[in-house]
């Protein structure tokens, strides 16, 4: 397949782009700043016979995007637009998603995968799964929930006399990542923007106290792992499905700090826990649908340890 990927040089997107190329797909990556990541182009040329091409562009450059998706079989939308107010959030993220969705269908694209977020679901509740009613609690979550609704509801064009010609044939699916982290897969590649891993390893190498919240953590998933879900969904014939993308295991930030101390045993740092009344039993996302559908179940600690080691190397520079 020929696959157009927005955000293909980002934290998640770089791994999805490489995984798709590894499977033999031709990949076209839309990136705002491709010059920041020359390593991806070099890796593509050296390892994947040049079947990853990078296009400079913004999500709002609709004519440019429309040109490149005309001969694509699939679109994977990972890029995020951002704003600080309701109107700017909708114009920078939801509206571009809707435009990309409509352009893709009109271009004859067969498959469309939208990257949402667990933020669309809102407050943590016990045994949260894909059937949960979305109750976002911030603009980011609201933006993702709104875009999901458009993706899944785009079944036909509005018409006074609905016919088969009005119906949408493009398969549309949604992936909802939680906390996703990554080591750069090539020199100077991006990692996740959250700095908490680095804050822990900086404290460890400087022999400073590591200050964390007691029982705080999540079901961490690496970008390499989540890429497996994207490829499985891309190569399936599913339609109008939503998949949560998280590890099946909960890991606390305390445990991550303990791993950092294990990997750097000369440190004199201690862990200080602030009690904010988080319960010892976490409210977990139920990721059974991934396993039932694709046989995918991810554990967190091995990948987390590798990410801690990478951050320790960076902290020691």
């Amino acid at each position: 397949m020929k696959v157009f990927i927005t955000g293909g040089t980002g934290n998640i997107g770089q791994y999805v782009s490489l995984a798709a190329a590894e499977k033999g797909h031709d990949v076209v990556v839309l990136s705002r700043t491709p010059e920041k990541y020359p390593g991806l182009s070099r890796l593509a040329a050296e390892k994947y016979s040049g079947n990853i091409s990078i296009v400079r562009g913004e999500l709002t450059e609709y004519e440019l995007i429309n040109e490149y998706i005309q001969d694509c079989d699939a679109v994977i939308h990972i890029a995020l637009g951002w704003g600080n107010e309701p109107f700017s959030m909708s114009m920078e993220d939801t509206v571009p998603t809707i435009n990309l969705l409509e352009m893709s269908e009109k271009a004859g694209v067969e498959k469309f995968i939208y990257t949402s977020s667990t933020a669309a679901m809102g407050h943590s509740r016990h045994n949260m799964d894909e059937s949960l009613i979305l109750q976002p609690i911030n603009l980011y979550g609201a933006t993702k929930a709104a875009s999901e609704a458009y993706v899944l509801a785009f079944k036909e064009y509005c018409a006074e006399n609905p016919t088969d010609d009005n119906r949408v044939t493009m398969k549309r699916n949604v992936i909802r990542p939680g906390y996703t982290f990554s080591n750069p897969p090539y020199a100077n590649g991006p990692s996740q923007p959250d700095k908490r891993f680095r804050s822990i390893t900086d404290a460890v190498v400087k022999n400073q106290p590591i200050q964390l919240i007691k029982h705080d953590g999540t079901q961490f998933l690496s970008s390499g792992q989540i890429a497996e879900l994207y490829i499985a969904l891309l190569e399936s014939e599913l339609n109008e499905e939503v998949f949560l993308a998280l590890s099946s295991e909960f890991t606390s930030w305390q445990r991550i700090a303990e791993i950092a101390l294990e990997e750097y045993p000369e440190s004199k740092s201690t862990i200080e826990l602030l009690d904010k009344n988080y319960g010892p039993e976490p409210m977990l996302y139920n990721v059974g649908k991934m396993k039932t559908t694709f046989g995918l179940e991810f554990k967190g600690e091995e990948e987390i340890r590798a990410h801690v080691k990478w951050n320790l190397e960076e902290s020691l520079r």
Side-chain angles (χ1 to χ4, degrees):
M1 279 186 281
K2 187 172 183 179
V3 186
F4 183 86
I5 303 178
T6 71
T9 57
N11 173 32
I12 294 175
Q14 60 185 342
Y15 277 88
V16 176
S17 298
L18 293 172
E22 181 76 35
K23 295 283 284 185
H25 301 298
D26 291 322
V27 178
V28 180
V29 170
L30 180 74
S31 174
R32 296 183 184 94
T33 54
E35 69 278 0
K36 286 186 177 180
Y37 311 114
L40 180 59
S41 296
R42 287 197 297 270
L43 185 60
E46 294 168 2
K47 189 174 181 181
Y48 301 114
S49 304
N51 62 335
I52 298 178
S53 58
I54 303 177
V55 177
R56 177 197 297 276
E58 301 279 346
L59 284 176
T60 52
E61 292 186 62
Y62 302 130
E63 290 186 7
L64 173 72
I65 293 172
N66 193 47
E67 175 186 346
Y68 278 95
I69 64 174
Q70 289 302 312
D71 61 346
C72 288
D73 304 292
V75 168
I76 300 177
H77 182 27
I78 304 174
L80 169 68
W82 193 256
N84 295 315
E85 298 169 344
F87 182 77
S88 59
M89 281 293 289
S90 64
M91 294 303 293
E92 294 296 323
D93 194 274
T94 303
V95 171
T97 297
I98 296 168
N99 275 298
L100 179 59
L101 179 71
E102 185 174 335
M103 286 189 296
S104 298
E105 202 282 329
K106 288 181 176 178
V109 171
E110 297 174 8
K111 299 177 181 180
F112 187 99
I113 298 175
Y114 173 64
T115 305
S116 181
S117 168
T118 52
M121 303 168 78
H123 286 296
S124 296
R125 287 153 278 178
H126 286 291
N127 200 35
M128 296 171 287
D129 65 12
E130 293 83 354
S131 67
L132 196 74
I133 295 174
L134 301 185
Q135 297 177 325
I137 57 174
N138 55 37
L139 291 178
Y140 174 65
T143 297
K144 289 300 184 182
S147 295
E148 275 195 36
Y150 274 98
V151 170
L152 298 175
F154 186 35
K155 300 172 184 290
E156 62 183 15
Y157 291 90
C158 292
E160 290 184 7
N161 299 303
T163 68
D164 287 343
D165 291 337
N166 301 127
R167 291 176 185 162
V168 172
T169 60
M170 183 174 66
K171 294 178 173 64
R172 296 150 287 108
N173 296 288
V174 173
I175 292 177
R176 278 188 207 144
Y179 190 113
T180 308
F181 63 90
S182 64
N183 297 347
Y186 50 84
N188 299 317
S191 182
Q192 87 282 7
D194 188 311
K195 303 301 183 185
R196 281 178 283 182
F197 275 91
R198 184 65 53 81
S199 295
I200 288 172
T201 57
D202 282 348
V204 166
V205 301
K206 294 175 182 177
N207 298 309
Q208 296 173 343
I210 308 168
Q211 298 179 329
L212 302 168
I213 298 172
K214 189 176 182 180
H215 302 312
D216 185 24
T218 190
Q219 291 160 262
F220 296 90
L221 191 68
S222 76
S223 296
Q225 291 170 319
I226 197 174
E228 294 184 45
L229 175 60
Y230 276 90
I231 299 306
L233 186 53
L234 173 68
E235 296 182 342
S236 77
E237 294 302 316
L238 295 175
N239 188 30
E240 298 176 5
E241 296 288 348
V242 179
F243 288 90
L244 285 169
L246 303 98
S247 167
S248 60
E249 296 180 334
F250 176 90
T251 304
S252 68
W253 285 103
Q254 178 182 352
R255 177 58 190 146
I256 291 171
E258 291 169 353
I259 291 171
L261 291 170
E262 291 168 8
E263 294 295 332
Y264 197 76
E266 57 266 47
S267 176
K268 301 298 190 293
S269 294
T270 58
I271 300 172
E272 299 178 356
L273 297 177
L274 176 64
D275 194 345
K276 287 196 172 183
N277 296 317
Y278 288 14
E281 293 298 322
M283 295 184 184
L284 298 179
Y285 294 92
N286 182 340
V287 293
K289 186 174 180 180
M290 266 198 306
K291 183 175 183 179
T292 300
T293 307
F294 298 119
L296 295 175
E297 182 180 16
F298 301 110
K299 306 293 184 180
E301 185 150 324
E302 183 177 349
E303 294 284 324
I304 288 171
R305 186 175 293 274
H307 192 52
V308 167
K309 291 169 73 173
W310 176 76
N311 275 281
L312 280 169
E313 291 171 2
E314 294 296 307
S315 294
L316 288 165
R317 288 184 186 275

